[in-house]
Amino acid sequence: MERKVRVRFAPSPTGPLHIGGVRTALYNYLFARRHGGDMILRIEDTDSQRFVPGAEDYINESLAWLGIKIDEGVREGGAYGPYKQSERRDIYREYVGKLLDAGKAYIAFDTPAELEAARAATPNFQYDASTRLNMRNSLSLSPEEVKSLMDAGTPYVVRFKIEPGRDVVVNDLLRGQVTINSSILDDKVLYKSADDLPTYHLANIVDDHLMEVTHVIRGEEWLPSAPLHVLLYEAFGWADSRPDFVHLPLLLKPDGKGKLSKRDGDRLGFPVFPLEWHDPASGNVSTGYRESGYLPEAVINFLALLGWNPGDDTEIMSMDELISKFSFEHCSKAGAKFAYEKGRWFNHEYLQTTPDEELGELFRPVLEAHGVNPDDFSREYIARVVELVKGRINFVGDLWDQAKFFFVAPETYAEKDIRKRWKPETPAILTELIGVLRALPSFKGADAEPVVLGWVEANGYHLGNVMNAWRLTLVGECKGPHIFDITELIGLEETVARMERGIETIQPVDQQ
Ligand code: GLU
């Protein structure tokens, strides 16, 4: 019988979720949804030394922001819980016991100093079939010795007893068969009595089995662990129900030379984390995609294409479209260059298709941050402003630069524009224009425009100079949307007030 597809995203809460981890979560999600399967979020917190407070909440919040929905997890619950490994100690203890009873694992008492000495004495020392009998463990010591050490509460670890000289075959849906010889593997630690916790390897295999995971989709950095995992499935007698592996390609630096790191982001100015992260230990703050003004849909679209394509050159795809097209057939094995400019392009594109009211909502906190109370303006006003300028923005935050004059009158005027457009006759012409504007029966842009243009023409004024000088008084520089859209929106009184202020304060600059 075909098993129901079940995948898991299994982050360790050792810090903020990296953007590469987000892509892993996304591919798990797309694959699960594509096949009507379940997506599990399992928190792998067995490394107590590296636990970072806040990291688990950060993971949940990141996935929620991005729209990656979890079916089973710590928050969601589910029939296979608990979903946090530190709450599954009893289960791991039981399975460690099974391996010990079957002679597939053994207890080792070597202290850190003893291991250090062994490493110093033998170049390339490996704890394995060739060395284990020289070490202090339940294979080399007598049962009485082992018992007395245990009774005395001596700290120990449980190691996996790897049989040398066997070909281990890892089947990877992306990479095909990868065969390695078991002799190169060491007797990995599976459990530590000191903190009564399993290591990643044991916990991962036991959980994937008990949670009936069918596909293990994870980063390439875990490929070297896969042969060990294959042997563990075998040792437990679970080889037949072993999940399929997919090891996703690395995310590379934008120039393709090496693995993407936080430093690349800092150097080139892009975030490597989904959300802003406040490091609890150092107090350092790292920027996130959300806080940098990216839309979650744009981040998803961008990430989906870092290592996968839909088989044609379609670029803009919603989550539903991604789901309907996703398969590992079109995943690449080669590392994916982190083309962050493309991320900006996606964001620009998504901003254009976002309803203006929605962008207006996102603009409100930006306005506030610049000392403007958004409540002083109607929602329609803010949405109309967004509509006029959004073609020029890549990020919500760019709205301020493009549209601040809709909210505050300019206090300074760009010198280069004054030099070019403010002529000795300008104050008199603008004063006349105020009269023309006041006499308009309708101040709507479409009504005002022909009248103003007719007036310019009838008087023989220089159209470019008049319009740009006028714009300078309204905006503070010669940029922005269509001038009659600006005046209609800010209204007659504000338009006139800004013109009067300009006439009063702008001094012509020497014109060469
Ligand atoms: N806890 C591991 C991590 O942090 C999980 C690796 C896996 O998916 O097997 O990435």
Side-chain angles (χ1 to χ4, degrees):
M1 201 186 73
E2 274 280 289
R3 292 202 290 166
K4 181 177 192 192
V5 166
R6 288 175 57 81
V7 301
R8 86 303 193 270
F9 177 53
S12 301
T14 53
L17 181 59
H18 190 268
I19 200 73
V22 175
R23 190 204 46 178
T24 300
L26 174 63
Y27 282 22
N28 271 285
Y29 179 70
L30 295 176
F31 183 75
R33 283 288 179 275
R34 172 85 180 82
H35 296 279
D38 299 326
M39 166 95 173
I40 302 165
L41 175 63
R42 187 170 71 220
I43 299 297
E44 301 209 327
D45 58 345
T46 56
D47 192 343
S48 47
Q49 313 276 303
R50 294 177 58 217
F51 177 81
V52 172
E56 186 182 339
D57 285 342
Y58 182 94
I59 292 165
N60 283 307
E61 204 183 329
S62 300
L63 298 179
W65 179 64
L66 289 159
I68 296 176
K69 299 193 191 72
I70 303 302
D71 299 305
E72 294 173 28
V74 177
R75 291 188 175 183
E76 297 73 13
Y80 299 78
Y83 292 93
K84 193 187 283 197
Q85 290 188 326
S86 59
E87 292 169 12
R88 298 172 65 83
R89 290 169 198 261
D90 294 349
I91 299 172
Y92 305 127
R93 232 180 270 126
E94 177 192 338
Y95 283 92
V96 170
K98 285 185 200 245
L99 288 183
L100 285 171
D101 291 347
K104 304 208 164 165
Y106 59 93
I107 291 172
F109 298 99
D110 316 278
T111 62
E114 286 165 348
L115 289 168
E116 204 35 62
R119 279 188 210 109
T122 318
N124 302 322
F125 172 81
Q126 180 165 283
Y127 207 121
D128 64 13
S130 68
T131 57
R132 59 170 84 107
L133 290 178
N134 307 326
M135 305 300 288
R136 282 198 317 128
N137 54 52
S138 56
L139 301 174
S140 62
L141 303 172
S142 72
E144 295 72 34
E145 281 171 305
V146 172
K147 183 168 184 312
S148 77
L149 283 167
M150 295 292 273
D151 289 348
T154 316
Y156 65 91
V157 299
V158 173
R159 285 182 181 270
F160 190 32
K161 189 175 167 211
I162 294 198
E163 302 300 341
R166 280 199 40 207
D167 277 343
V168 185
V169 181
V170 177
N171 254 317
D172 182 292
L173 295 188
L174 216 54
R175 292 155 205 276
Q177 277 194 358
V178 183
T179 307
I180 70 116
N181 194 282
S182 64
S183 300
I184 67 165
L185 301 174
D186 62 341
D187 290 355
K188 274 271 171 315
V189 172
L190 301 178
Y191 170 87
K192 298 191 197 110
S193 72
D195 49 10
D196 183 26
L197 277 170
T199 58
Y200 157 70
H201 303 291
L202 182 100
N204 202 262
I205 270 43
V206 167
D207 287 350
D208 284 346
H209 174 73
L210 294 178
M211 295 181 182
E212 297 185 37
V213 168
T214 57
H215 296 79
V216 166
I217 303 163
R218 60 185 172 190
E220 184 176 19
E221 64 274 27
W222 302 100
L223 185 58
S225 304
L228 169 70
H229 295 176
V230 167
L231 290 176
L232 273 168
Y233 280 111
E234 242 183 59
F236 279 118
W238 301 331
D240 292 342
S241 59
R242 193 177 83 202
D244 284 327
F245 290 114
V246 181
H247 290 96
L248 300 174
L250 285 178
L251 291 186
L252 303 177
K253 294 180 190 302
D255 65 7
K257 296 190 183 124
K259 200 175 149 207
L260 177 69
S261 74
K262 172 155 155 37
R263 246 173 297 130
D264 302 314
D266 294 343
R267 184 167 55 89
L268 298 165
F270 61 86
V272 297
F273 302 121
L275 315 179
E276 195 168 87
W277 168 254
H278 296 249
D279 190 274
S282 66
N284 288 346
V285 178
S286 308
T287 58
Y289 277 84
R290 182 176 66 184
E291 290 72 15
S292 304
Y294 282 84
L295 297 171
E297 298 81 3
V299 177
I300 288 290
N301 199 154
F302 166 55
L303 286 181
L305 289 170
L306 289 177
W308 170 83
N309 67 73
D312 55 33
D313 48 19
T314 314
E315 290 193 295
I316 302 288
M317 284 167 280
S318 66
M319 186 74 100
D320 284 344
E321 287 169 299
L322 292 170
I323 289 169
S324 70
K325 294 176 183 206
F326 190 79
S327 82
F328 289 118
E329 218 175 294
H330 290 292
C331 273
S332 122
K333 283 185 287 227
K337 282 187 208 164
F338 198 79
Y340 64 98
E341 298 97 337
K342 193 79 198 191
R344 287 187 192 158
W345 177 82
F346 273 109
N347 209 53
H348 173 84
E349 293 297 310
Y350 272 84
L351 284 170
Q352 306 316 306
T353 56
T354 305
D356 300 324
E357 295 68 32
E358 226 172 274
L359 281 185
E361 289 305 305
L362 298 175
F363 190 18
R364 295 173 76 85
V366 178
L367 287 170
E368 254 171 341
H370 286 95
V372 172
N373 180 358
D375 294 332
D376 293 345
F377 300 87
S378 71
R379 290 199 140 67
E380 295 73 47
Y381 183 92
I382 298 176
R384 175 75 179 131
V385 168
V386 165
E387 183 190 350
L388 289 174
V389 304
K390 70 177 179 183
R392 304 157 199 255
I393 62 162
N394 288 333
F395 301 103
V396 170
D398 297 346
L399 282 169
W400 175 252
D401 249 1
Q402 296 298 330
K404 53 175 172 252
F405 52 87
F406 284 106
F407 303 92
V408 286
E411 278 171 6
T412 58
Y413 304 93
E415 200 180 302
K416 72 168 190 349
D417 295 324
I418 298 177
R419 178 169 286 127
K420 190 158 173 216
R421 301 296 186 180
W422 202 266
K423 309 287 170 193
E425 65 277 17
T426 303
I429 295 177
L430 290 185
T431 306
E432 197 186 329
L433 176 55
I434 291 175
V436 174
L437 298 178
R438 284 217 182 274
L440 284 169
S442 152
F443 201 60
K444 273 200 169 348
D447 299 330
E449 182 165 358
V451 178
V452 171
L453 296 183
W455 162 80
V456 170
E457 199 179 333
N459 288 283
Y461 297 145
H462 184 286
L463 181 67
N465 285 348
V466 173
M467 299 309 271
N468 278 293
W470 185 19
R471 178 182 287 278
L472 191 57
T473 65
L474 302 176
V475 175
E477 55 188 314
C478 290
K479 70 164 209 190
H482 192 49
I483 196 159
F484 292 97
D485 287 333
I486 300 175
T487 54
E488 175 177 329
L489 209 51
I490 64 176
L492 175 62
E493 292 313 321
E494 179 65 19
T495 299
V496 169
R498 290 188 188 188
M499 290 169 76
E500 283 172 343
R501 185 156 189 274
I503 291 166
E504 228 169 79
T505 51
I506 300 176
Q507 298 300 325
V509 182
D510 284 345
Q511 306 189 2
Q512 294 99 8

